[in-house]
Amino acid sequence: MPSAGMRGLGNPLELPALTTPASTAGTRVTLRAFIAADVGLIQSASRDPLIPLITSVPATSGRTEALAFMERQHQRLKSGSGWSFAVADAASNVAVGQIGLWPGQSSRRTSNPDTIGYWIGPDHRRQGYAGAALALLTEWALTEADMRRIHLYIEPWNEGSWRTAERAGYRRDALLPSWQKVGSQWKDMYRYIRTPL
Ligand SMILES: CC(C)(COP(=O)(O)OP(=O)(O)OC[C@H]1O[C@@H](n2cnc3c(N)ncnc32)[C@H](O)[C@@H]1OP(=O)(O)O)[C@@H](O)C(=O)NCCC(=O)NCCS
């Protein structure tokens, strides 16, 4: 069942390819579906100490598990759970990470927010990829996907992630105690919010 955010796009079945405008200074990315050539990136993410704890990237780095992970990302749109993109360098199309837009569910009583999550492979960090990907997907969510407010949840120690958020125009509005389980432990989270400018 598509969520409210996805209904705004008429239950799409194909992932769009989004690219940073050519006029943008600095790092430019393309957000696209995962392809078989990206398997090495997933395997390297499996070896990262944090990524398998906070995502569905497998904790073992076998090729079969990596291919299964990519297949699960292809199913996200069809099942209505959200948009899962590979982050690729706009010039080379080499995959460097992953970013997902996850629509919340609203009812008369509750409203779960629309959220974005992201990671960049260990070999590709500190080159502006996360900031470029988050800025691009946020603009698309707020303009094309009918979303009014995007939330990010970030552990306070994770300066790389909250700097990424701030670079993409998000503002911190809360520290949420014991908000999310990471591995076996409940962790405090900063909440970051972006609304249309
Ligand atoms: C956090 C992460 C996504 C950053 O990706 P990245 O591509 O290296 O980030 P960028 O190069 O776009 O940098 C964005 C900003 O963060 C800063 N930054 C990046 N890594 C940093 C670090 N380890 N420490 C301090 N600042 C850092 C950059 O200097 C830049 O700051 P600026 O806007 O002031 O110039 C990446 O380290 C990662 O995937 N980590 C593991 C998974 C994770 O933490 N995901 C987010 C969960 S909320």
Side-chain angles (χ1 to χ4, degrees):
M1 176 74 167
S3 66
M6 300 189 85
R7 279 197 298 273
L9 284 184
N11 191 15
L13 289 175
E14 283 225 357
L15 202 65
L18 312 175
T19 298
T20 313
S23 57
T24 304
T27 304
R28 295 176 56 246
V29 293
T30 294
L31 308 184
R32 57 158 173 78
F34 278 103
I35 55 176
D38 304 335
V39 69
L41 171 75
I42 308 305
Q43 290 176 291
S44 70
S46 292
R47 292 188 283 267
D48 184 82
L50 179 61
I51 294 171
L53 295 181
I54 59 171
T55 70
S56 60
V57 168
T60 51
S61 59
R63 182 179 168 82
T64 307
E65 292 90 333
L67 290 170
F69 167 83
M70 292 196 284
E71 180 52 32
R72 287 198 299 277
Q73 306 319 299
H74 295 156
Q75 297 306 320
R76 301 275 190 238
L77 197 57
K78 292 175 192 147
S79 66
S81 57
W83 290 263
S84 177
F85 296 92
V87 178
D89 182 276
S92 66
N93 202 28
V94 168
V96 298
Q98 189 254 347
I99 190 164
L101 172 62
W102 312 114
Q105 302 284 346
S106 297
S107 70
R108 199 161 53 85
R109 286 168 184 262
T110 59
S111 175
N112 292 333
D114 302 324
T115 59
I116 290 180
Y118 45 84
W119 55 262
I120 298 297
D123 299 338
H124 304 285
R125 292 180 186 161
R126 307 299 293 255
Q127 298 176 60
Y129 288 123
L134 182 60
L136 179 60
L137 187 55
T138 299
E139 279 314 311
W140 185 80
L142 295 176
T143 56
E144 304 293 326
D146 200 26
M147 294 179 178
R148 307 316 304 156
R149 190 176 59 201
I150 312 290
H151 287 194
L152 309 175
Y153 298 94
I154 303 175
E155 284 188 78
W157 65 263
N158 197 343
E159 183 176 351
S161 188
W162 55 256
R163 280 191 183 277
T164 298
E166 290 174 1
R167 170 160 284 267
Y170 285 76
R171 65 181 168 79
R172 185 189 307 167
D173 87 320
L175 172 62
L176 305 167
S178 291
W179 187 254
Q180 188 177 319
K181 221 171 182 184
V182 176
S184 59
Q185 291 186 318
W186 287 94
K187 300 289 184 144
D188 299 350
M189 291 282 158
Y190 282 149
R191 182 173 64 196
Y192 275 84
I193 295 190
R194 216 354 262 270
T195 50
L197 296 174

